[in-house]
Amino acid sequence: ERTRRPSMSPPVVTFDTQSCVLPMPIEKVFAMTKDLSILSVTKKVASMPWFKSGEEGQIGAIVVVSFDNGDSAYGESVWELRITEISERAHTVAYEVVKTDEPVPASIEGLIKLRPVSMSGHTFLEYTTSFSNDVSAERIEDQKWKKLELFKSLIEAVA
């Protein structure tokens, strides 16, 4: 006879990757990406990101972003992001969330990768968020929709 193991939560993918093609040259998109001001294009950002410590182009700099959560119980939330990677050669920017005033997983890291689209002069943007394994499916789904809203806002802004 087979013994049953205690029920366990099903494994969850702890990352979300979304992408789009922006009708702008990679140099212009990277200029907005390396200081994370690209995040301010969406209506969900309440104010322009600003440097709490460090400066543009500095690894370890802390960027503060205020998000408008609309009808959420959290209202406006403030996140502090530490820039962990900037590569002009690879056109990548990475960050980790170091502080927030809302309940979030123990670890959240973001990576924005840009690639030139040779035939059109446009930019392929890939945005990945990785979470620790205490993340909820709702948080991952929320990140997906926030990225898609950001992409839509970016495309509308350059149209």
Side-chain angles (χ1 to χ4, degrees):
E1 182 178 332
R2 198 171 184 184
T3 58
R4 290 191 106 191
R5 292 178 31 187
S7 69
M8 299 173 68
S9 298
V12 176
V13 173
T14 59
F15 66 90
D16 174 69
T17 300
Q18 302 298 322
S19 61
C20 71
V21 175
L22 298 174
M24 341 170 32
I26 195 168
E27 296 80 16
K28 188 172 180 182
V29 179
F30 189 65
M32 296 178 358
T33 304
K34 63 184 176 181
D35 65 357
L36 299 178
S37 65
I38 194 168
L39 299 176
S40 69
V41 176
T42 180
K43 297 173 185 87
K44 292 288 183 185
V45 172
S47 63
M48 185 74 163
W50 55 277
F51 285 89
K52 179 178 179 179
S53 68
E55 57 190 32
E56 181 180 319
Q58 181 181 353
I59 304 299
I62 304 291
V63 178
V64 177
V65 183
S66 297
F67 295 97
D68 180 4
N69 294 319
D71 295 335
S72 164
Y74 303 109
E76 184 177 307
S77 60
V78 179
W79 289 34
E80 293 184 13
L81 312 175
R82 186 175 82 84
I83 296 177
T84 57
E85 173 187 332
I86 301 171
S87 173
E88 290 183 355
R89 183 176 179 201
H91 294 102
T92 58
V93 175
Y95 64 84
E96 64 183 353
V97 176
V98 292
K99 186 177 178 185
T100 180
D101 57 0
E102 65 177 286
V104 296
S107 172
I108 302 174
E109 297 178 345
L111 174 63
I112 301 171
K113 295 181 185 179
L114 307 175
R115 300 289 176 261
V117 179
S118 304
M119 301 247 339
S120 65
H122 295 169
T123 302
F124 178 80
L125 185 153
E126 180 182 89
Y127 190 169
T128 300
T129 309
S130 302
F131 306 91
S132 53
N133 65 0
D134 61 336
V135 67
S136 68
E138 292 80 16
R139 172 67 67 178
I140 294 171
E141 187 74 8
D142 180 61
Q143 286 292 304
K144 171 188 173 181
W145 294 111
K146 284 181 179 171
K147 287 181 185 88
L148 295 176
E149 185 173 311
L150 171 65
F151 298 159
K152 181 180 176 191
S153 296
L154 283 165
I155 291 167
E156 288 173 356
V158 298

